[in-house]
Amino acid sequence: MDLGIAGRKAIVCAASKGLGRACAMSLAREGVELVITARTPGPLEATAEEIRSATGVSVRVVASDITTDEGRAAVLAACPDPDILVNNAGGPPPGDFRDWRREHWMAAVEANMFTPIEMIRATVDGMMKRNFGRIVNITSSSVKAPIEILGLSNGARAGLHGFVAGLARKTVRHNVTINNLLPGPFETDRMRSNLEHMARAKGVSLEQAREARQRDNPSGRLGDPAEFGDACAFLCSAQMGFVTGQNFLMDGGAYPGTY
Ligand code: NAP
């Protein structure tokens, strides 16, 4: 299927590794020109080069912290009028809510709620004027099925979902959609550090924690980031203009509810 987005411009935030990287690669395969971001320049440039040589599209990099005003300004200066915006940032650390103080909560809200809202604020009016826009927020299955040790993530991301649910109905008339893509367990560096935390907490080896995580999932495996990237590209397609304000779970069937 031709997704009808060749030649479009996208900002993909936090994209040197993991799910952000996979989204960037899948969009590039559809002929989308990219600006990708991450804080660490080396891996960011290496990812950009891999995407360029795999797809031939233009990939520019902005090494900045997307959770800061300066970081967002640098990205928006490089691409002030994107057609596609993929919001992403590192997730908050796991832990026990008794240890979290104001600064921990504020950091989580800043990264996983305020940052995507600021990126949407800076880009959505231009998308509506141009009558095309696709915004995808990478959040977490923990919004639908909270994970106890990820309380900071459960809380901050739920705030973003609430905001998006309202705004997404205002933009779709102008062919601008806003949807959330909710990863369950995917094989990335972030997943590895969560498994290390679980292994320590349960007094088991990393491999045992990993096997348990796979066994607990109805699919019997962890997700492949490439699957996630392709779903993101599909959400950004021309064909998806009638779908907005939705929360798409990609969790191998782990969420047990009907709705
Ligand atoms: P990952 O493999 O650790 O990759 C994170 C990427 O984000 C890296 O490119 C990192 O590069 C960049 N990044 C982190 N903080 C940033 C910042 N402040 N500014 C700019 N770039 C930043 O993580 P992932 O597994 O892809 O996870 C992506 C998101 O999905 C996270 O919010 C995570 O919590 C969420 N999630 C993941 C899973 C999963 O199974 N993987 C499940 C549920 C939710 P630098 O470090 O160089 O900045």
Side-chain angles (χ1 to χ4, degrees):
M1 184 190 291
D2 177 357
L3 299 189
I5 49 177
R8 296 280 184 191
K9 285 182 282 187
I11 295 176
V12 185
C13 304
S16 66
K17 295 185 196 167
L19 303 178
R21 179 190 182 285
C23 293
M25 182 62 93
S26 294
L27 287 168
R29 289 212 174 94
E30 295 302 316
V32 174
E33 303 193 345
L34 299 175
V35 169
I36 62 171
T37 90
R39 291 164 302 184
T40 320
L44 181 62
E45 186 45 58
T47 291
E49 193 43 46
E50 278 174 50
I51 297 174
R52 284 182 205 116
S53 53
T55 65
V57 303
S58 152
V59 186
R60 289 179 294 145
V61 300
V62 177
S64 72
D65 184 339
I66 198 70
T67 68
T68 64
D69 289 340
E70 308 73 51
R72 289 187 289 274
V75 179
L76 291 163
C79 185
D81 53 358
D83 305 300
I84 293 168
L85 168 66
V86 180
N87 279 315
N88 186 29
D96 185 320
F97 83 97
R98 294 169 189 83
D99 300 327
W100 297 330
R101 299 290 178 266
R102 166 178 281 269
E103 63 268 25
H104 303 108
W105 278 106
M106 289 302 117
V109 168
E110 189 83 45
N112 300 112
M113 180 182 169
F114 183 66
T115 289
I117 291 173
E118 278 292 272
M119 291 299 291
I120 292 170
R121 187 172 71 84
T123 55
V124 77
D125 288 331
M127 290 177 179
M128 286 198 288
K129 269 195 206 109
R130 296 188 300 278
N131 210 41
F132 182 90
R134 298 286 182 267
I135 299 174
V136 174
N137 302 307
I138 299 179
T139 65
S140 174
S141 62
S142 74
V143 175
K144 270 186 83 91
I147 300 165
E148 189 236 322
I149 58 165
L150 295 178
L152 291 169
S153 170
N154 304 337
R157 296 187 202 273
L160 174 65
H161 279 224
F163 167 75
V164 162
L167 182 64
R169 272 82 192 180
K170 294 282 180 198
T171 63
V172 66
R173 189 173 290 265
H174 305 278
N175 192 23
V176 176
T177 65
I178 314 178
N179 293 293
N180 303 308
L181 198 44
L182 285 59
F186 278 82
E187 187 81 65
T188 67
D189 287 2
R190 159 86 176 172
M191 167 56 62
R192 212 156 299 124
S193 68
N194 282 350
L195 287 176
E196 278 163 9
H197 179 92
M198 276 179 211
R200 268 195 309 276
K202 293 192 170 148
V204 298
S205 72
L206 179 59
E207 206 32 55
Q208 285 168 319
R210 193 171 198 289
E211 276 166 18
R213 194 84 171 84
Q214 295 186 160
R215 209 174 34 243
D216 287 350
N217 190 284
S219 70
R221 65 179 177 94
L222 301 178
D224 178 348
E227 297 172 294
F228 191 88
D230 283 354
C232 176
F234 184 62
L235 278 179
C236 295
S237 67
Q239 292 89 335
M240 288 298 269
F242 203 53
V243 175
T244 198
Q246 300 304 302
N247 300 322
F248 287 95
L249 258 185
M250 287 191 77
D251 68 350
Y255 177 70
T258 308
Y259 301 107

